[in-house]
């Protein structure tokens, strides 16, 4: 856990209120975190966390809650690639399938269309109305 925390802190994450959770804070106060990085809370609370091995951690983005201007998905991809390279890991989806940078670009394009549709309906990501509707 200490190694994950150290690497994540170098990329702007701060410890969350829940053990095993770190957040990338927003630029605008009062907004929800841009990204959430989570790992085994038991490992975070272990008597000697430095002797506890982690095999995986996850990053999450709540699209409707985060302002588009924060570039949340692009930042998540940048951070994931940096962490994977620095830590000698790979990026996988929830099913354990490897995600390549090319796939991230396709997802990004789809997400941009979703942002456009939300804005067209006056439900912009991160807006008060959008956050209320999708919470």
């Amino acid at each position: 856990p200490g190694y994950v925390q150290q690497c994540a802190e170098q990329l702007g994450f701060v410890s969350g209120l829940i053990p095993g959770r770190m957040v990338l804070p927003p630029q605008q106060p009062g907004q929800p975190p841009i990204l959430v990085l989570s790992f085994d809370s038991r490992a975070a609370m272990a008597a000697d966390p430095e002797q506890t091995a982690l095999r995986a951690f996850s990053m999450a983005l709540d699209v409707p809650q985060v302002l588009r201007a924060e570039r949340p998905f692009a930042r998540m991809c940048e951070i994931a690639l940096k962490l994977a390279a620095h830590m000698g890991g790979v990026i996988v989806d929830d099913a354990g399938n490897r995600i390549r940078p090319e796939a991230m670009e396709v997802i990004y394009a789809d997400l941009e269309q979703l942002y456009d549709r939300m804005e067209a309906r006056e439900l912009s990501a991160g807006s008060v109305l959008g956050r209320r509707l999708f919470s």
Side-chain angles (χ1 to χ4, degrees):
Y3 183 58
V4 171
Q5 289 172 324
Q6 178 185 12
C7 293
E9 285 172 354
Q10 291 174 357
L11 297 171
F13 283 85
V14 297
S15 293
L17 298 175
I18 301 169
R21 181 176 161 153
M22 299 183 77
V23 297
L24 185 63
Q27 294 176 0
Q28 293 184 7
Q31 292 289 319
I34 298 170
L35 299 171
V36 176
L37 184 147
S38 303
F39 53 91
D40 186 357
S41 60
R42 292 174 301 194
M45 297 186 308
D48 187 0
E50 297 307 316
Q51 298 301 316
T52 304
L54 288 177
R55 300 279 183 242
F57 60 88
S58 63
M59 272 196 298
L61 161 61
D62 191 350
V63 173
Q65 300 293 319
V66 182
L67 291 170
R68 185 180 196 176
E70 295 276 10
R71 300 177 35 259
F73 187 77
R75 290 174 74 184
M76 183 173 73
C77 292
E78 292 166 14
I79 290 169
L81 290 168
K82 286 179 182 178
L83 286 172
H86 183 75
M87 300 175 84
V90 294
I91 302 167
V92 298
D93 63 16
D94 292 340
N97 300 313
R98 190 170 185 174
I99 300 174
R100 300 202 180 277
E102 302 81 35
M104 292 178 190
E105 292 172 14
V106 172
I107 295 167
Y108 179 74
D110 290 344
L111 185 57
E112 287 297 307
Q113 291 177 0
L114 175 62
Y115 280 131
D116 291 341
R117 287 192 306 255
M118 289 174 69
E119 287 175 5
R121 290 176 176 82
E122 298 181 8
L123 296 171
S124 298
S127 69
V128 174
L129 186 58
R131 287 172 50 196
R132 187 177 308 141
L133 178 66
F134 292 103
S135 64

